[in-house]
Amino acid sequence: MLTEQKLQSFKEVIKESSRDEIIWMSGFLAGLSERNITDGAPPVVTNASTEKLVISVLYGTETGNSKKISSKLATALKSKQHKVTITALDQYAVANLEKESLVFIIMSTHGDGEPPLAAKKFYDYLQNSKGNFKNLKYAVLALGDTSYPLFCKAGEDVDARLTELGAKQVLPIEKLDTDFYAPSEAWINNVLNNLSALSTGKPLSNQPKPAFKHVKAFYKGRIKTHINLNDKGSSKETFHIEIASDDGIYYLPGDSLGIVPPNKDEDVNEILNLLSANKNQTKQYKNETYTLFDLFKFKLNILYLPLRIVDKYAALAKTELPLIRLDLKNILSLYPPQENISVEQLINILEPITPRLYSISSSPSAHGNNEVHITVGRNKFSVNEKIKFGFCSNHFAGLNEGDEVNFYINPNDNFRLPDHDKDVIMIGPGTGIAPFRSFIFHRDTEGAAGRNWLFFGDQHFSTDFLYQSELLSFFDTGSLTKINTAFSRDQKEKLYVQHRMLQQSKELFAWIEGGAHLYVCGCKNTMAKDVETTLISIISKEKNIDENEAAEYLNRIEDEGRYAKDVY
């Protein structure tokens, strides 16, 4: 218990704090509790090496988490007077790896077990290398999400390949889930405490590890509002969806909503018929009991199976299957299971449904803690001249008001609003507008003094100006200082947000130079790349420097936390 004086001081701090500050303090105290540290100071290093080492810290990141941990590690190592270089894997000269002495590699896994785009060159180099790495000592810290079937697979691949090439693993690979803060601090401390042994290449396989248990908090909600934001005549369907819950939903602007979409009843019934299985029969799955119908509907991925699952089924059925991704019902229909294959064996080779993440478009300050909003574009594509729809976006498109939905909140501490007095520049075409709707509502409700500038684009002004009335209202009241739009199909030559940025080059750079925080949200493979190229061009022009220097400038403001991306 606190003394009366401390309790009074604590109450005063709480009374004078905003909701965001209280949430931050809660997380900070929880982190201290997990690490069993009472004074908030870093753990004492008890076995620091006196030898000064040459160390490389390499990171591969998509959202910035690996970079954040790498910076902490490098800073801690430098404080012990070791010679440390920290390098992003897309900037690292891979040919130098054989010449390294001690390397720490921190990287995330994305998609279907893939390395982040920035680490692809390094990853491919390792897989194809025939080099001799017998003098290299290394350790891998892998980041991932246990909701995905191939948790930390990219990190595992790098770790295994380095061992195959003769490198010495000085620490067992550490695999961290989305709540990585406390265990990453423990890992860094373990490195610092054992540098003497690490420098000799002696493995530390028996190091005690704190127990960190990750449990995602799922909310039960119901659809409160379901509106198609596109007007008649649009080739798109973009839904504004409001989900209400009786429980308080705790999130911040910049976070995402996660959902595990259910399979269609007709697909599940067809699969169970092909298996001659009773849908009411119960089975154990991950220490829980389900009917076969519920298991195949809510838990198991049965659509567009990865080739590794197709291969496992081929081995089970003792037959050859084409190396193409198929739905489970198609595989069972074309290549029926033999009598000696049990339902349990089939369940064991299948993977769980992968969760989908959607940027949250509401603000807890403006909309309260009992509802959350998302902006979902229905993904439409053609396969063999047949129109298909994205699994999860089609699920959301088919929901009605009153329907129930289970979801969780996926925090994104690398996509946060700055202090109230700071300016923000938001670039978000299409559904990339989602987090910026949250940002604008939040800053308006909180009375933030900083200016807000939005770049938004889509196909047509008349049918695809998402949240038009809200945005124009914010502009009229001054909450949105500037808004520049680009509707690509409204003129002969296509016009995108990056073209509007170039038109505003001088003022845009003035905002950035003045300390504005820059945010980009949307498609990473096209829009985000084009926007970054445009930013480098603007910086080069306005600052009168070459593009390499401009890229370094952009990297610096990213290191400062003033340039953040939420891309998919």
Side-chain angles (χ1 to χ4, degrees):
M1 294 289 293
L2 295 175
T3 64
E4 185 61 34
Q5 183 178 359
K6 287 182 178 179
L7 181 61
Q8 194 59 39
S9 298
F10 182 71
K11 288 180 177 178
E12 286 298 321
V13 171
I14 296 298
K15 183 179 179 181
E16 296 174 3
S17 299
S18 68
R19 180 181 177 280
D20 287 0
E21 289 169 333
I22 292 171
I23 291 174
W24 182 90
M25 286 187 281
S26 174
F28 178 76
L29 292 172
L32 292 182
S33 174
E34 281 190 86
R35 287 178 287 164
N36 195 26
I37 299 167
T38 57
D39 61 359
V44 176
V45 177
T46 59
N47 188 28
S49 171
T50 55
E51 180 189 355
K52 303 313 171 192
L53 305 173
V54 178
I55 303 170
S56 286
V57 178
L58 309 177
Y59 65 88
T61 189
E62 195 82 53
T63 62
N65 291 331
S66 297
K67 182 177 183 180
K68 184 180 293 185
I69 296 171
S70 297
S71 296
K72 286 183 179 180
L73 175 62
T75 300
L77 291 169
K78 287 177 181 178
S79 72
K80 305 300 175 186
Q81 284 72 56
H82 298 293
K83 184 177 180 182
V84 183
T85 56
I86 176 171
T87 314
L89 284 173
D90 59 342
Q91 303 294 320
Y92 182 68
V94 291
N96 290 337
L97 191 60
E98 289 185 60
K99 306 171 189 175
E100 299 278 11
S101 174
L102 180 58
V103 173
F104 295 101
I105 300 169
I106 301 168
M107 67 181 295
S108 56
T109 294
H110 289 268
D112 196 27
E114 301 157 4
L117 187 62
K120 188 73 166 62
K121 180 182 71 170
F122 177 84
Y123 181 91
D124 290 344
Y125 166 80
L126 273 188
Q127 301 309 311
N128 299 315
S129 176
K130 293 183 173 60
N132 186 341
F133 294 84
K134 64 180 182 180
N135 295 321
L136 174 66
K137 297 177 284 292
Y138 79 95
V140 174
L141 180 68
L143 275 65
D145 184 337
T146 49
S147 299
Y148 289 79
L150 298 180
F151 172 59
C152 289
K153 183 65 165 59
E156 289 179 336
D157 289 347
V158 167
D159 181 71
R161 184 60 181 151
L162 283 170
T163 297
E164 288 174 3
L165 292 169
K168 295 182 179 68
Q169 184 202 59
V170 295
L171 281 174
I173 182 172
E174 187 84 8
K175 295 182 285 187
L176 306 187
D177 201 356
T178 52
D179 54 347
F180 61 84
Y181 177 78
S184 69
E185 293 282 302
W187 182 81
I188 290 173
N189 202 47
N190 194 26
V191 168
L192 295 175
N193 281 335
N194 295 284
L195 276 176
S196 293
L198 296 181
S199 66
T200 66
K202 179 183 176 181
L204 300 173
S205 56
N206 297 318
Q207 288 298 302
K209 290 167 58 176
F212 296 103
K213 183 172 178 60
H214 177 82
V215 179
K216 284 187 172 67
F218 274 82
Y219 296 91
K220 289 184 179 295
R222 63 189 178 280
I223 302 298
K224 175 184 173 184
T225 304
H226 190 282
I227 301 170
N228 183 2
L229 296 172
N230 300 99
D231 212 335
K232 290 180 181 179
S234 176
S235 63
K236 296 184 171 187
E237 290 177 285
T238 309
F239 296 94
H240 171 75
I241 299 172
E242 299 178 5
I243 303 171
S245 175
D246 293 332
D247 300 320
I249 308 167
Y250 297 100
Y251 70 95
L252 291 173
D255 289 342
S256 297
L257 178 144
I259 181 172
V260 180
N263 293 307
K264 290 183 178 179
D265 288 4
E266 53 265 37
D267 290 339
V268 173
N269 284 324
E270 185 174 347
I271 287 168
L272 293 176
N273 287 335
L274 289 165
L275 292 170
S276 300
N278 180 351
K279 68 179 184 179
N280 295 317
Q281 183 182 355
T282 58
K283 294 289 180 187
Q284 286 285 314
Y285 181 75
K286 295 186 182 295
N287 300 319
E288 293 190 42
T289 302
Y290 301 92
T291 65
L292 282 180
F293 182 85
D294 285 347
L295 183 57
F296 278 90
K297 180 176 175 66
F298 297 110
K299 296 296 177 179
L300 298 175
N301 177 36
I302 60 175
L303 300 176
Y304 199 49
L305 300 181
L307 294 182
R308 61 182 174 275
I309 305 301
V310 176
D311 283 343
K312 287 179 181 179
Y313 181 82
L316 206 59
K318 297 179 180 177
T319 186
E320 290 188 9
L321 271 69
L323 290 177
I324 55 174
R325 299 184 68 166
L326 296 167
D327 293 348
L328 180 59
K329 66 180 182 181
N330 300 129
I331 292 177
L332 295 176
S333 177
L334 295 169
Y335 307 93
Q338 305 301 310
E339 291 183 3
N340 61 335
I341 298 177
S342 66
V343 175
E344 287 87 347
Q345 286 175 302
L346 182 62
I347 290 170
N348 288 339
I349 68 169
L350 294 175
E351 294 175 347
I353 300 171
T354 301
R356 273 63 168 179
L357 298 177
Y358 293 90
S359 300
I360 292 173
S361 54
S362 55
S363 157
S365 293
H367 302 100
N369 281 113
N370 290 100
E371 65 180 74
V372 63
H373 305 171
I374 54 174
T375 309
V376 180
R378 193 182 193 192
N379 185 21
K380 183 168 66 175
F381 54 95
S382 177
V383 177
N384 297 325
E385 299 182 353
K386 289 185 177 180
I387 297 298
K388 300 279 187 179
F389 296 99
F391 177 33
C392 194
S393 64
N394 194 49
H395 167 70
F396 268 123
L399 292 177
N400 297 303
E401 292 180 7
D403 287 348
E404 292 187 352
V405 60
N406 293 332
F407 62 95
Y408 65 93
I409 300 299
N410 190 71
N412 186 356
D413 289 336
N414 296 305
F415 205 77
R416 291 282 183 246
L417 279 167
D419 293 339
H420 284 181
D421 61 338
K422 302 296 184 184
D423 297 335
V424 299
I425 301 165
M426 301 163 283
I427 304 165
T431 54
I433 187 64
F436 302 138
R437 179 180 185 264
S438 170
F439 280 17
I440 298 166
F441 262 110
H442 197 78
R443 299 198 104 200
D444 176 69
T445 305
E446 297 275 319
R451 298 175 297 172
N452 305 302
W453 187 350
L454 173 68
F455 288 88
F456 172 75
D458 215 311
Q459 290 189 352
H460 297 284
F461 171 83
S462 60
T463 59
D464 306 314
F465 195 163
L466 309 183
Y467 299 114
Q468 179 182 359
S469 59
E470 286 182 353
L471 294 175
L472 293 180
S473 176
F474 279 128
F475 180 71
D476 287 342
T477 61
S479 293
L480 190 54
T481 313
K482 287 178 67 71
I483 179 170
N484 290 98
T485 58
F487 295 98
S488 59
R489 309 305 198 269
D490 279 351
Q491 57 283 311
K492 187 176 181 180
E493 293 191 6
K494 291 180 180 177
L495 183 71
Y496 296 111
V497 287
Q498 57 266 30
H499 299 124
R500 294 300 192 202
M501 291 166 62
L502 286 170
Q503 291 171 359
Q504 301 289 323
S505 175
K506 195 173 190 65
E507 187 173 1
L508 186 60
F509 181 69
W511 277 50
I512 295 171
E513 274 280 84
H517 287 240
L518 185 61
Y519 300 89
V520 179
C521 182
C523 178
K524 69 179 177 183
N525 292 327
T526 52
M527 182 279 299
K529 286 183 179 179
D530 292 339
V531 164
E532 186 150 306
T533 299
T534 302
L535 284 169
I536 290 170
S537 176
I538 288 171
I539 294 165
S540 174
K541 174 188 172 185
E542 302 300 336
K543 202 169 176 62
N544 194 25
I545 55 178
D546 64 39
E547 292 203 344
N548 288 332
E549 292 173 308
E552 290 175 5
Y553 178 100
L554 195 58
N555 286 334
R556 281 198 302 276
I557 68 169
E558 185 175 7
D559 290 340
E560 295 167 7
R562 292 203 295 121
Y563 175 38
K565 291 166 279 190
D566 177 12
V567 294
Y568 40 84

